[in-house]
Amino acid sequence: MKRSENEKTKNISIYVHIPFCVSKCNYCDFISYADMNSIVPLYFNALRQEIQVKLAEVNVEEQYICRSIFFGGGTPSYVDSQYIRDVLKTIQSKISLSNDCEITIEANPGTITEDKLNSYLLSGVNRISVGLQAWQDRLLNYMGRAHDITQFIDNIEKIKKLGFNNINVDLIYGLPTQTFKEWQETLNEVARLGINHISCYSLKLEEGTNWYERYQKRELPEIDEDLEREMYRYAQELFAKQEILQYEISNFAKVGWECKHNIVYWTLEEYLGFGAGAHSYINQTRYSNIADLKEYVDRTEANSDIIAETIRISMQESIIEYIILGLRLNKGVSLNEFKRLFGLSLSELFYNQIERLTKQGLVYIDKHTIRLTRKGLDFANQAFIEFMN
Ligand code: SF4
């Protein structure tokens, strides 16, 4: 028997990985595949099976209530919307959703239709995260994106017309050959569309990608780090003027439109991940699923284990993760909350590190919180390393 919402004791979030894309972008190291359409039905059978088994295993019906669901990829909007609907039904048959459960789907321009959007609405999806990356067709083409800017504008119009108002747009800066002017145009045009959540990621050249290989062969133009920092600061300044406030290193939102699901990751709350390569964090343990699509399907069908790695997180590791993830948020880490969770004083435990970082102007601490300064946001990794040491 399902308990009512206020009888539940623990919150949980759910991530569902949909690893299919129209084509592979040049910079992408996510678990995503183009030309794998034939495996789509089998993948979703396996996915639903995994959800049923895992949710029963952790006995979520008895202990948990689901606060957010995130369909990520890949390109979840690439597959038939019926699959998304069925996955949501499966989840709901096993766990109660909170009344304000945030349900996000990642979507890429060119794969979004009115039919799909209507189906998402009927299934309960209430947030759409659109991958644009850049406003200029020249850059989209260079990145190997499967869409142009006209498709993006058309898709945003459709999304709004059908009544979605919780919309995110993903952007990338520090792209090879990207000019400051192009970045300015991208930000201004997206802000002009009245989008209430914007994520700005700096490009990372990851091993195994087309661009990484080209970079190794010196075929990719160098990325100017100073220019990249300038681009980041421009985003901070422009959005501040438009009341799209920075609440995390890479994320900006109008007040009240922050992404609940991502906040779960940054505050070390529990979540379950389903699908190839998906990660979970529950009972102080991190799990990851096998990434190979075919193996994932075969093993699930055969009721075999699909866990690739299990890592038990010690108290010390939890403390460091909690600080590092919490510092990503503009509001920082609450000293009282830290004490409540770990029974220790953060400022005493990391007295030397905090002293050094304060002198360098990277963190700010008062009676209630510790957080990164404006300079600290620019050199966050330096601050994180200090806590790790
Ligand atoms: S659309 Fe996204 S997930 Fe798919 S290949 Fe491009 S960057 Fe990767």
Side-chain angles (χ1 to χ4, degrees), residues 20-33 73-75 106 108 133 144-146:
F20 306 103
C21 284
V22 179
S23 56
K24 189 80 181 170
C25 301
N26 291 330
Y27 57 89
C28 177
D29 76 328
F30 298 136
I31 297 165
S32 66
Y33 304 87
T75 304
E106 283 190 332
N108 276 314
Q133 320 310 352
R145 301 284 302 171

Short mmCIF file of all heavy atoms in Angstrom, two decimals, residues 20-33 73-75 106 108 133 144-146, ligand 1:
data_model
loop_
_atom_site.label_atom_id
_atom_site.label_comp_id
_atom_site.label_asym_id
_atom_site.label_seq_id
_atom_site.Cartn_x
_atom_site.Cartn_y
_atom_site.Cartn_z
N PHE A 20 20.23 7.99 -27.36
CA PHE A 20 20.12 8.04 -28.82
C PHE A 20 20.16 9.49 -29.32
O PHE A 20 19.58 10.38 -28.72
CB PHE A 20 18.81 7.37 -29.27
CG PHE A 20 18.68 5.97 -28.74
CD1 PHE A 20 17.85 5.69 -27.67
CD2 PHE A 20 19.43 4.94 -29.30
CE1 PHE A 20 17.75 4.41 -27.15
CE2 PHE A 20 19.34 3.64 -28.79
CZ PHE A 20 18.49 3.38 -27.72
N CYS A 21 20.87 9.68 -30.44
CA CYS A 21 21.00 11.02 -31.03
C CYS A 21 20.88 10.93 -32.54
O CYS A 21 21.09 9.86 -33.13
CB CYS A 21 22.36 11.62 -30.69
SG CYS A 21 22.43 12.21 -29.00
N VAL A 22 20.58 12.07 -33.15
CA VAL A 22 20.50 12.13 -34.62
C VAL A 22 21.89 11.86 -35.20
O VAL A 22 22.05 11.09 -36.15
CB VAL A 22 20.02 13.54 -35.07
CG1 VAL A 22 19.97 13.63 -36.60
CG2 VAL A 22 18.66 13.85 -34.46
N SER A 23 22.89 12.51 -34.64
CA SER A 23 24.28 12.31 -35.07
C SER A 23 25.18 12.64 -33.89
O SER A 23 24.70 13.15 -32.87
CB SER A 23 24.60 13.20 -36.27
OG SER A 23 24.33 14.55 -35.94
N LYS A 24 26.45 12.34 -34.01
CA LYS A 24 27.35 12.57 -32.87
C LYS A 24 28.06 13.91 -33.04
O LYS A 24 28.72 14.15 -34.05
CB LYS A 24 28.37 11.42 -32.81
CG LYS A 24 29.22 11.41 -31.57
CD LYS A 24 28.50 10.80 -30.38
CE LYS A 24 29.38 10.82 -29.13
NZ LYS A 24 28.65 10.47 -27.91
N CYS A 25 27.94 14.77 -32.03
CA CYS A 25 28.60 16.08 -32.10
C CYS A 25 30.12 15.91 -31.88
O CYS A 25 30.55 14.99 -31.19
CB CYS A 25 28.03 17.01 -31.03
SG CYS A 25 26.25 17.25 -31.22
N ASN A 26 30.87 16.83 -32.43
CA ASN A 26 32.33 16.70 -32.43
C ASN A 26 32.99 16.76 -31.05
O ASN A 26 34.11 16.29 -30.88
CB ASN A 26 32.95 17.81 -33.30
CG ASN A 26 32.63 17.60 -34.76
OD1 ASN A 26 32.47 16.45 -35.20
ND2 ASN A 26 32.50 18.68 -35.52
N TYR A 27 32.31 17.34 -30.08
CA TYR A 27 32.90 17.54 -28.76
C TYR A 27 32.31 16.59 -27.72
O TYR A 27 32.65 16.66 -26.54
CB TYR A 27 32.64 18.99 -28.29
CG TYR A 27 31.17 19.33 -28.26
CD1 TYR A 27 30.42 19.08 -27.13
CD2 TYR A 27 30.52 19.81 -29.40
CE1 TYR A 27 29.06 19.33 -27.11
CE2 TYR A 27 29.15 20.06 -29.38
CZ TYR A 27 28.43 19.82 -28.24
OH TYR A 27 27.08 20.05 -28.23
N CYS A 28 31.39 15.70 -28.14
CA CYS A 28 30.57 14.97 -27.18
C CYS A 28 31.20 13.68 -26.68
O CYS A 28 31.55 12.81 -27.47
CB CYS A 28 29.21 14.64 -27.82
SG CYS A 28 28.17 13.67 -26.72
N ASP A 29 31.31 13.55 -25.35
CA ASP A 29 31.79 12.28 -24.78
C ASP A 29 30.70 11.62 -23.92
O ASP A 29 30.99 10.76 -23.12
CB ASP A 29 33.06 12.50 -23.94
CG ASP A 29 32.77 13.13 -22.60
OD1 ASP A 29 31.81 13.92 -22.51
OD2 ASP A 29 33.49 12.82 -21.63
N PHE A 30 29.45 12.05 -24.11
CA PHE A 30 28.37 11.41 -23.36
C PHE A 30 28.10 10.03 -23.95
O PHE A 30 28.47 9.74 -25.10
CB PHE A 30 27.07 12.23 -23.47
CG PHE A 30 27.18 13.61 -22.89
CD1 PHE A 30 26.67 14.70 -23.56
CD2 PHE A 30 27.80 13.83 -21.66
CE1 PHE A 30 26.76 15.99 -23.04
CE2 PHE A 30 27.90 15.10 -21.13
CZ PHE A 30 27.38 16.19 -21.82
N ILE A 31 27.41 9.20 -23.17
CA ILE A 31 27.04 7.89 -23.70
C ILE A 31 25.84 8.13 -24.63
O ILE A 31 24.69 8.22 -24.19
CB ILE A 31 26.71 6.93 -22.54
CG1 ILE A 31 27.97 6.73 -21.70
CG2 ILE A 31 26.18 5.60 -23.06
CD1 ILE A 31 27.72 6.12 -20.36
N SER A 32 26.15 8.31 -25.90
CA SER A 32 25.10 8.60 -26.87
C SER A 32 25.51 8.05 -28.23
O SER A 32 26.69 8.07 -28.58
CB SER A 32 24.89 10.12 -26.98
OG SER A 32 26.04 10.72 -27.51
N TYR A 33 24.54 7.53 -28.95
CA TYR A 33 24.83 6.87 -30.22
C TYR A 33 23.89 7.35 -31.32
O TYR A 33 22.70 7.52 -31.09
CB TYR A 33 24.65 5.35 -30.08
CG TYR A 33 25.45 4.73 -28.97
CD1 TYR A 33 24.95 4.66 -27.67
CD2 TYR A 33 26.72 4.19 -29.21
CE1 TYR A 33 25.68 4.09 -26.63
CE2 TYR A 33 27.46 3.62 -28.19
CZ TYR A 33 26.93 3.57 -26.91
OH TYR A 33 27.65 3.01 -25.88
N GLY A 73 20.41 12.72 -21.85
CA GLY A 73 20.93 11.86 -22.93
C GLY A 73 22.34 12.20 -23.33
O GLY A 73 23.08 12.80 -22.57
N GLY A 74 22.57 11.86 -24.61
CA GLY A 74 21.63 11.57 -25.67
C GLY A 74 20.63 12.69 -25.93
O GLY A 74 20.74 13.79 -25.42
N THR A 75 19.65 12.31 -26.70
CA THR A 75 18.57 13.24 -27.03
C THR A 75 17.23 12.55 -26.76
O THR A 75 16.68 11.87 -27.64
CB THR A 75 18.66 13.65 -28.52
OG1 THR A 75 19.93 14.20 -28.79
CG2 THR A 75 17.58 14.67 -28.89
N GLU A 106 15.26 16.47 -21.76
CA GLU A 106 16.22 17.18 -22.62
C GLU A 106 15.77 17.00 -24.06
O GLU A 106 15.33 15.92 -24.47
CB GLU A 106 17.62 16.59 -22.44
CG GLU A 106 18.27 17.05 -21.17
CD GLU A 106 19.75 16.67 -21.09
OE1 GLU A 106 20.15 15.67 -21.71
OE2 GLU A 106 20.49 17.37 -20.40
N ASN A 108 16.53 18.36 -28.28
CA ASN A 108 17.37 19.09 -29.22
C ASN A 108 16.56 19.62 -30.38
O ASN A 108 15.64 18.95 -30.87
CB ASN A 108 18.50 18.19 -29.74
CG ASN A 108 19.67 18.19 -28.77
OD1 ASN A 108 20.09 19.25 -28.29
ND2 ASN A 108 20.18 17.01 -28.45
N GLN A 133 23.47 25.61 -27.67
CA GLN A 133 24.94 25.74 -27.64
C GLN A 133 25.44 27.05 -28.26
O GLN A 133 26.24 27.72 -27.66
CB GLN A 133 25.67 24.53 -28.28
CG GLN A 133 25.07 23.15 -27.98
CD GLN A 133 24.80 22.86 -26.51
OE1 GLN A 133 25.18 23.61 -25.64
NE2 GLN A 133 24.08 21.80 -26.23
N GLY A 144 29.22 20.15 -35.31
CA GLY A 144 28.58 18.91 -35.75
C GLY A 144 27.18 18.77 -35.20
O GLY A 144 26.66 17.66 -35.09
N ARG A 145 26.55 19.89 -34.80
CA ARG A 145 25.18 19.84 -34.31
C ARG A 145 24.24 19.52 -35.48
O ARG A 145 24.49 19.93 -36.61
CB ARG A 145 24.76 21.19 -33.69
CG ARG A 145 25.63 21.64 -32.54
CD ARG A 145 25.35 20.92 -31.26
NE ARG A 145 23.99 21.04 -30.82
CZ ARG A 145 23.48 20.33 -29.79
NH1 ARG A 145 24.23 19.46 -29.15
NH2 ARG A 145 22.23 20.50 -29.42
N ALA A 146 23.14 18.80 -35.17
CA ALA A 146 22.26 18.36 -36.25
C ALA A 146 21.11 19.34 -36.50
O ALA A 146 20.05 18.95 -36.97
CB ALA A 146 21.70 16.98 -35.90
S1 SF4 B 1 23.14 16.02 -29.12
FE1 SF4 B 1 24.07 16.10 -27.08
S2 SF4 B 1 24.29 13.96 -26.44
FE2 SF4 B 1 23.86 13.95 -28.65
S3 SF4 B 1 25.86 13.87 -29.58
FE3 SF4 B 1 25.33 16.03 -29.45
S4 SF4 B 1 26.17 16.73 -27.47
FE4 SF4 B 1 26.17 14.49 -27.46
#
